[in-house]
Amino acid sequence: GESVGLHLPTLSVQEGDNSIINCAYSNSASDYFIWYKQESGKGPQFIIDIRSNMDKRQGQRVTVLLNKTVKHLSLQIAATQPGDSAVYFCAEIYSGTYKYIFGTGTRLKVLA
Amino acid sequence: GAVVSQHPSRVICKSGTSVKIECRSLDFQATTMFWYRQFPKKSLMLMATSNEGSKATYEQGVEKDKFLINHASLTLSTLTVTSAHPEDSSFYICSAREMTGVAEAFFGQGTRLTVV
């Protein structure tokens, strides 16, 4: 299930199930979006990106969906594995400034 | 993807001293580098943007005299935390962008700073 704690919201899923992590972005002018995975004590690791002229993009086991109408981004992970346990951040970028604005993050816990 | 290396990965320093963190792009020339700060269980907060050969642009609320940024070459940017205090303890992360007009940036592995 999903819970919102004092800090990072946490999503717990059973190994093998699909995970869906959501993100609301703030700037309607943002035209590039990236999902990052961050493990404890490490920098963000690129997972998948999508440009604003698309609404869906698939990678290996991951899919990103973009809904510009409601400024919403989601990351779907198929057949979640223990190695997927980490904190996931979305980042929105506006090509006018190229500044990355990160979302609050979601901790994914994979249960054996 | 391109590699960005940060050094050191961990540093402990005494209050009142200064600490320098390096960010290097190993296999590309970085026209722009970004410095972020991350508190425990929080998201990354952009501190400043630096372009090679020019002064860094700091985000609102970030003290430029406290956090000195130098981007002297296309492969190296440094962040110096001056007169460090315990409240400066944090995880600092840099990222680098290869060229103007390209959005994708690559992240370093971060530096854990502890001020005692």
Side-chain angles (χ1 to χ4, degrees):
Chain A
E2 185 170 344
S3 64
V4 177
L6 291 176
H7 303 289
L8 288 173
T10 299
L11 176 66
S12 298
V13 297
Q14 287 293 137
E15 182 179 356
D17 287 352
N18 297 334
S19 303
I20 300 177
I21 300 171
N22 298 302
C23 176
Y25 64 92
S26 57
N27 185 359
S28 56
S30 293
D31 48 12
Y32 181 50
F33 305 87
I34 305 177
W35 277 102
Y36 287 95
K37 174 185 180 182
Q38 187 179 29
E39 295 174 320
S40 181
K42 297 184 179 179
Q45 176 187 353
F46 175 94
I47 301 174
I48 191 168
D49 61 354
I50 188 168
R51 298 200 178 272
S52 59
N53 60 353
M54 303 173 69
D55 52 22
K56 180 178 180 178
R57 188 153 189 247
Q58 286 184 292
Q60 189 176 19
R61 273 202 316 121
V62 293
T63 301
V64 55
L65 298 177
L66 174 63
N67 185 330
K68 294 184 289 293
T69 303
V70 295
K71 292 190 287 186
H72 184 267
L73 200 65
S74 69
L75 175 70
Q76 300 177 2
I77 304 174
T80 312
Q81 302 169 359
D84 296 327
S85 293
V87 177
Y88 290 80
F89 292 99
C90 67
E92 58 176 302
I93 302 99
Y94 167 52
S95 57
T97 62
Y98 290 115
K99 282 185 183 179
Y100 281 45
I101 306 298
F102 283 84
T104 52
T106 297
R107 180 176 301 281
L108 177 65
K109 283 188 178 179
V110 182
L111 308 172
Chain B
V3 179
V4 174
S5 176
Q6 253 181 271
H7 179 80
S9 57
R10 288 179 178 273
V11 58
I12 300 172
C13 71
K14 292 184 178 179
S15 287
T17 62
S18 295
V19 174
K20 181 184 284 187
I21 302 169
E22 293 186 347
C23 179
R24 293 182 185 272
S25 56
L26 296 187
D27 50 4
F28 67 99
Q29 293 187 323
T31 55
T32 307
M33 287 187 171
F34 304 89
W35 287 95
Y36 297 84
R37 182 173 181 176
Q38 186 177 29
F39 292 101
K41 299 184 180 180
K42 295 288 190 181
S43 188
L44 284 74
M45 285 176 23
L46 181 64
M47 298 172 67
T49 303
S50 73
N51 292 296
E52 185 266 337
S54 61
K55 287 185 178 179
T57 303
Y58 289 80
E59 294 299 301
Q60 195 172 12
V62 178
E63 300 175 60
K64 58 181 68 176
D65 295 331
K66 173 77 170 172
F67 300 99
L68 300 179
I69 291 171
N70 184 284
H71 191 165
S73 78
L74 284 172
T75 58
L76 174 64
S77 176
T78 60
L79 167 68
T80 301
V81 183
T82 62
S83 187
H85 291 287
E87 56 265 30
D88 298 324
S89 298
S90 194
F91 195 54
Y92 293 88
I93 305 171
C94 73
S95 71
R97 189 160 63 86
E98 185 166 11
M99 62 182 76
T100 304
V102 174
E104 188 176 2
F106 303 95
F107 285 81
Q109 66 268 45
T111 297
R112 170 74 60 195
L113 169 64
T114 303
V115 185
V116 297

